[in-house]
Amino acid sequence: MTESEKRFDEVISKLRERRCRMTPQRVALLRILTSTKEHPSAAQLHEQLRTQFPTTSLATVYKTLNLLDEMDEVLEMGFSGDDRRYDGFNPRSHPHLVCVGCRRIVDLEGTVVDTMTRDAADRSGFRVIGHRLDVYGLCPSCQARE
Amino acid sequence: MTESEKRFDEVISKLRERRCRMTPQRVALLRILTSTKEHPSAAQLHEQLRTQFPTTSLATVYKTLNLLDEMDEVLEMGFSGDDRRYDGFNPRSHPHLVCVGCRRIVDLEGTVVDTMTRDAADRSGFRVIGHRLDVYGLCPSCQARE
DNA sequence: ATATATGCAAACCTTTTGCTCAATA
DNA sequence: TATTGAGCAAAAGGTTTGCATATAT
């Protein structure tokens, strides 16, 4: 069983606990969402979903994404000019590399942030819920294209 | 001369280099923008500006903010549900503590991020332009209010 | 005098909401 | 069969744009 399949099962069971209904559209969306590390937008997810369910609406996609966000089963990232991006494979706070050229977002491994946020919390009295670290830049292929 | 006044003069001269015109509205906006560490939204800036120039429009505020953003003279932060927040006092990438209760944003000192982003860049081949580290949580007073 | 900024209103775009109908459990 | 979700269209909310007027240089 792949990581994605494990993750898919995990989300499904979390939804069952909530007594949510498993419609074919929703299941298909979950399948797409948990099987990619591409950090897609709602529109991109909708587009993919349409290949299987041509009548699916964007509103439905948003409704499920918001549900998952509430359950902390998807990581939602908002940007200034662009639409939101979602990570359903790894919903926990983690750092990213964000290419401002092609808008590609890739994960960035490391434990430094966790240590730092803990320190910051201790100093400030904040109760840390999560964090976000984006490193903005140009990926190698966008640099080449310049 | 305070830090804010220095920063104000700095932005003014950058704008002069660009042959931008110094309208009273713009100067007043710059004064507000460079004299706070509160990370205000466009609407909040507009509101403050209105006490001096009651006919000022929100569009004008956005136009100047976008100009400054292009010049890297303001730090713009976009969020999922909420409006953008701006830091004109310190326009360079720096970490923040973001209270998800009262939406207050305060700066977070530290050099760890710089080190980490440099390492990440070396490993990935990215050309780093900037970064963003938000630590989300509840500030002490919001915790008390719970 | 000429180019640039202002202010207003309309447009834009992503996300949300209301409502009716369909489908799950 | 009761209740939740889907799908559509309209609304919402922040941001941008077009254009005429005012103003800085």
Side-chain angles (χ1 to χ4, degrees):
Chain A
M1 181 143 86
T2 67
E3 288 297 311
S4 286
E5 284 164 346
K6 268 187 236 170
R7 176 70 193 134
F8 173 79
D9 290 351
E10 189 179 12
V11 180
I12 291 283
S13 58
K14 290 263 170 65
L15 284 167
R16 282 203 207 288
E17 281 173 31
R18 268 214 169 200
R19 313 242 176 290
C20 291
R21 295 186 183 173
M22 296 320 225
T23 65
Q25 294 94 327
R26 182 170 283 179
V27 174
L29 176 58
L30 293 175
R31 185 66 81 183
I32 296 167
L33 200 56
T34 56
S35 65
T36 180
K37 295 183 175 179
E38 300 297 314
H39 309 80
S41 66
Q44 288 170 330
L45 292 165
H46 180 225
E47 200 180 347
Q48 281 197 58
L49 197 51
R50 262 177 186 270
T51 63
Q52 297 175 63
F53 298 89
T55 62
T56 301
S57 76
L58 190 51
T60 300
V61 174
Y62 273 114
K63 280 169 190 163
T64 296
L65 287 172
N66 288 341
L67 170 66
L68 294 172
D69 185 40
E70 242 175 68
M71 299 166 61
D72 291 316
E73 293 301 327
V74 73
L75 183 67
E76 189 184 276
M77 286 171 282
F79 294 94
S80 273
D82 286 281
D83 42 15
R84 296 179 196 159
R85 306 288 286 272
Y86 298 88
D87 189 342
F89 178 74
N90 180 7
R92 306 216 345 235
S93 295
H94 61 275
H96 294 102
L97 284 173
V98 180
C99 181
V100 299
C102 61
R103 314 295 312 161
R104 198 147 42 105
I105 301 178
V106 301
D107 288 351
L108 190 153
E109 314 303 337
T111 58
V112 194
V113 192
D114 293 299
T115 311
M116 184 172 47
T117 55
R118 234 186 313 278
D119 292 350
D122 292 345
R123 282 203 307 274
S124 64
F126 253 61
R127 185 196 306 157
V128 173
I129 294 171
H131 57 252
R132 165 179 177 162
L133 173 63
D134 301 343
V135 179
Y136 302 104
L138 283 173
C139 67
S141 61
C142 282
Q143 287 179 48
R145 202 172 301 129
E146 271 192 329
Chain B
M1 181 139 90
T2 67
E3 288 296 311
S4 286
E5 285 164 345
K6 268 188 236 170
R7 176 70 193 133
F8 174 79
D9 290 351
E10 190 180 10
V11 180
I12 291 282
S13 60
K14 290 264 170 63
L15 285 167
R16 281 201 208 290
E17 281 172 31
R18 268 214 171 202
R19 312 245 176 287
C20 291
R21 295 186 183 174
M22 295 320 223
T23 66
Q25 294 95 324
R26 180 169 284 178
V27 173
L29 175 59
L30 293 175
R31 185 67 81 181
I32 295 167
L33 200 57
T34 56
S35 65
T36 180
K37 295 181 176 180
E38 300 297 314
H39 309 77
S41 65
Q44 288 170 330
L45 291 164
H46 180 225
E47 200 180 347
Q48 281 198 57
L49 197 51
R50 261 175 186 271
T51 64
Q52 298 175 60
F53 297 90
T55 62
T56 300
S57 77
L58 190 52
T60 300
V61 174
Y62 274 113
K63 280 169 190 164
T64 295
L65 287 172
N66 288 341
L67 171 66
L68 293 172
D69 185 40
E70 242 175 70
M71 298 167 62
D72 291 317
E73 293 302 326
V74 74
L75 183 68
E76 190 184 275
M77 286 172 283
F79 294 94
S80 273
D82 287 281
D83 42 14
R84 295 179 196 161
R85 306 287 287 271
Y86 298 89
D87 189 342
F89 177 73
N90 180 7
R92 306 217 344 234
S93 293
H94 62 275
H96 294 102
L97 285 172
V98 180
C99 180
V100 300
C102 61
R103 314 294 313 161
R104 199 147 42 104
I105 300 177
V106 300
D107 288 350
L108 191 154
E109 313 303 337
T111 60
V112 194
V113 193
D114 294 298
T115 310
M116 185 173 47
T117 55
R118 231 185 316 276
D119 291 350
D122 292 346
R123 282 203 307 273
S124 64
F126 253 61
R127 185 195 304 157
V128 173
I129 295 171
H131 58 252
R132 166 178 176 162
L133 173 62
D134 301 343
V135 179
Y136 303 102
L138 283 174
C139 66
S141 61
C142 283
Q143 286 179 49
R145 203 173 298 130
E146 269 191 333

